[in-house]
Amino acid sequence: MSRTRIHNFSISLDGFATGEPQSLEAPFGHAGQRLHTWMMRTQSWDPDGSDGVDNAYAERHGPGIGAEIMGANKFGPPGWHEDPDWKGWWGPNPPFHTPVFVLTHHTRPPLEMEGGNVFHFLEASPAEALETARAAADGKDVRIGGGATVVRDFLAAGLVDHMHLVQVPIVLGRGVRLWDGLEGVEEAFDVETVASPSGVTHFTFTRKTS
Amino acid sequence: MSRTRIHNFSISLDGFATGEPQSLEAPFGHAGQRLHTWMMRTQSWDPDGSDGVDNAYAERHGPGIGAEIMGANKFGPPGWHEDPDWKGWWGPNPPFHTPVFVLTHHTRPPLEMEGGNVFHFLEASPAEALETARAAADGKDVRIGGGATVVRDFLAAGLVDHMHLVQVPIVLGRGVRLWDGLEGVEEAFDVETVASPSGVTHFTFTRKTS
Ligand SMILES: NC(=O)c1ccc[n+]([C@@H]2O[C@H](COP(=O)([O-])OP(=O)(O)OC[C@H]3O[C@@H](n4cnc5c(N)ncnc54)[C@H](OP(=O)(O)O)[C@@H]3O)[C@@H](O)[C@H]2O)c1
Ligand SMILES: NC(=O)c1ccc[n+]([C@@H]2O[C@H](COP(=O)([O-])OP(=O)(O)OC[C@H]3O[C@@H](n4cnc5c(N)ncnc54)[C@H](OP(=O)(O)O)[C@@H]3O)[C@@H](O)[C@H]2O)c1
């Protein structure tokens, strides 16, 4: 069974998955890199990084994934769609290595890059996008890559099977919140919580088998 | 040194310290008892309860405390001040056993009850209220008892030395949020996080000694 998974999705204590304003210079706004410092200090990111619980979670990002779905604001800064040469933040060989489906109201032709990365741009409901991505994933799982708006929409639509969240002990105060409109979302999941010595808290939400 | 402490203050994943609407029948609104089930299952509350990490935190509520400050909405449901006979939720012998200072715009004469409980009603800034409570605490610590508005105001004013928060893995969606207006509040504290086998997460915020 192909599942829908979320990994390494990082939020502040007050539930923001990004700061503001988002820009080319500061993709996470005033949050800077603070939401992801925990990940950049693991071996998944840095050969000299840690290999403890943070890395155990971090390295689950790739295996078993056959496609990613992301939002327009993860793909680029405000206004990227006015730049025909914008190819994402990640250089010539992005770290996805699968088809990637960018949800956007500004569609454009597919963009093929190195390393098996092909970006497709589509305007579709979460359920439709998932169906498309699943077909492309060739029996593997589909990752919902963020940002907050897209993760929230997939949770609200009941489409997520497994979600790994990382709560960073900072209060951002502003940005885009994950939890808005998700009252009671935990009822469909078994929730497990692990505090890391690094100071972050890992949550896994695994869909209950009914 | 007399410190200002917060204990057992429980919030949802999305940062709500109470649901809505608050009423005589449902003091926590639609949250019901869900924010405090963890505490009701410890020996501090129930002789048959657990004596693990949740109880270790829960039982720190009382020792060393010489006075409490609470908000008007913790003392009673909306409109309590129109009822001259309202004496709080806690029966003839409330669990504070110290002077209690109720911050309210509807002051009334002090209310003396059993067990060393005396409720004083005052309209004052957080700093002024703390000064008054500290004088009454006779060298002991002052507890900020909640609700969310009062805890937030004391944090914003930089008056809190130690805060124990308990995050319950539910998404309430509505109520009164703790974190609003507190961007960067963590910078003044050492933050420690412990995940309990019961499913809740304990955070301690201890003021940095500079
Ligand atoms: N915390 C983390 O772990 C994490 C992970 C990934 C990303 N991020 C950050 O999160 C931020 C982006 O999050 P965000 O919430 O602002 O935006 P987002 O979820 O990346 O994208 C939302 C946008 O995607 C488009 N979109 C979404 N659903 C659509 C649909 N069904 N059909 C057509 N278009 C659709 C819309 O843009 P248009 O109408 O403009 O096309 C919408 O405004 C960035 O700062 C990113 O760096 C954080
Ligand atoms: N989650 C927890 O662990 C926890 C702990 C305690 C309580 N609670 C719950 O939290 C809820 C109450 O929280 P809340 O945020 O609604 O209200 P609250 O913090 O209890 O009280 C706020 C009210 O107190 C009065 N007040 C506050 N500061 C004042 C000042 N400086 N001077 C004069 N009056 C002042 C004002 O009421 P007036 O203008 O009407 O006088 C204000 O609306 C209740 O549901 C309670 O059961 C939860």
Side-chain angles (χ1 to χ4, degrees), chain A:
Chain A
M1 251 300 286
S2 165
R3 292 179 307 154
T4 307
R5 293 159 42 190
I6 296 167
H7 289 279
N8 303 342
F9 196 74
S10 302
I11 58 174
S12 61
L13 277 178
D14 47 345
F16 292 99
T18 182
E20 66 172 29
Q22 299 174 28
S23 69
L24 183 60
E25 297 71 33
F28 290 85
H30 78 296
Q33 299 190 323
R34 289 181 289 165
L35 288 172
H36 294 98
T37 311
W38 72 271
M39 195 166 68
M40 290 154 47
R41 292 188 178 149
T42 66
Q43 280 190 18
S44 314
W45 197 276
D46 169 3
D48 296 326
S50 68
D51 192 21
V53 64
D54 291 344
N55 199 41
Y57 282 107
E59 64 187 15
R60 302 185 71 202
H61 182 262
I65 296 290
E68 162 153 333
I69 296 172
M70 68 169 64
N73 299 353
K74 175 170 172 180
F75 183 68
W80 65 262
H81 51 84
E82 284 154 23
D83 174 2
D85 292 330
W86 179 260
K87 295 186 164 57
W89 306 94
W90 303 280
N93 187 353
F96 307 106
H97 312 302
T98 65
V100 175
F101 295 86
V102 180
L103 280 171
T104 178
H105 295 103
H106 302 92
T107 56
R108 51 171 68 180
L111 170 67
E112 189 161 349
M113 300 183 70
E114 296 170 21
N117 291 284
V118 187
F119 291 89
H120 302 272
F121 301 84
L122 80 169
E123 190 174 342
S125 71
E128 291 163 349
L130 184 58
E131 197 177 346
T132 304
R134 213 182 274 305
D138 200 21
K140 293 187 173 173
D141 293 344
V142 175
R143 188 177 50 235
I144 309 301
T149 305
V150 162
V151 168
R152 192 198 303 135
D153 289 350
F154 277 78
L155 284 169
L159 296 171
V160 175
D161 296 308
H162 182 85
M163 172 166 70
H164 167 233
L165 289 183
V166 186
Q167 195 183 41
V168 181
I170 59 176
V171 178
L172 281 178
R174 52 208 162 90
V176 186
R177 280 189 214 273
L178 171 61
W179 298 119
D180 283 3
L182 294 180
E183 179 180 336
V185 69
E186 77 285 354
E187 289 166 19
F189 296 92
D190 292 316
V191 184
E192 197 184 278
T193 310
V194 170
S196 166
S198 71
V200 304
T201 310
H202 298 274
F203 294 89
T204 46
F205 286 63
T206 307
R207 183 166 290 283
K208 286 178 183 163
T209 49
S210 53

Side-chain angles (χ1 to χ4, degrees), chain B residues 124-143:
Chain B
S125 72
E128 290 163 350
L130 183 57
E131 197 177 346
T132 303
R134 214 182 275 303
D138 200 19
K140 293 188 173 174
D141 293 346
V142 175
R143 187 176 52 235

Side-chain angles (χ1 to χ4, degrees), chain B residues 115-131:
Chain B
N117 292 284
V118 186
F119 291 89
H120 302 271
F121 300 84
L122 81 169
E123 189 173 343
S125 72
E128 290 163 350
L130 183 57
E131 197 177 346

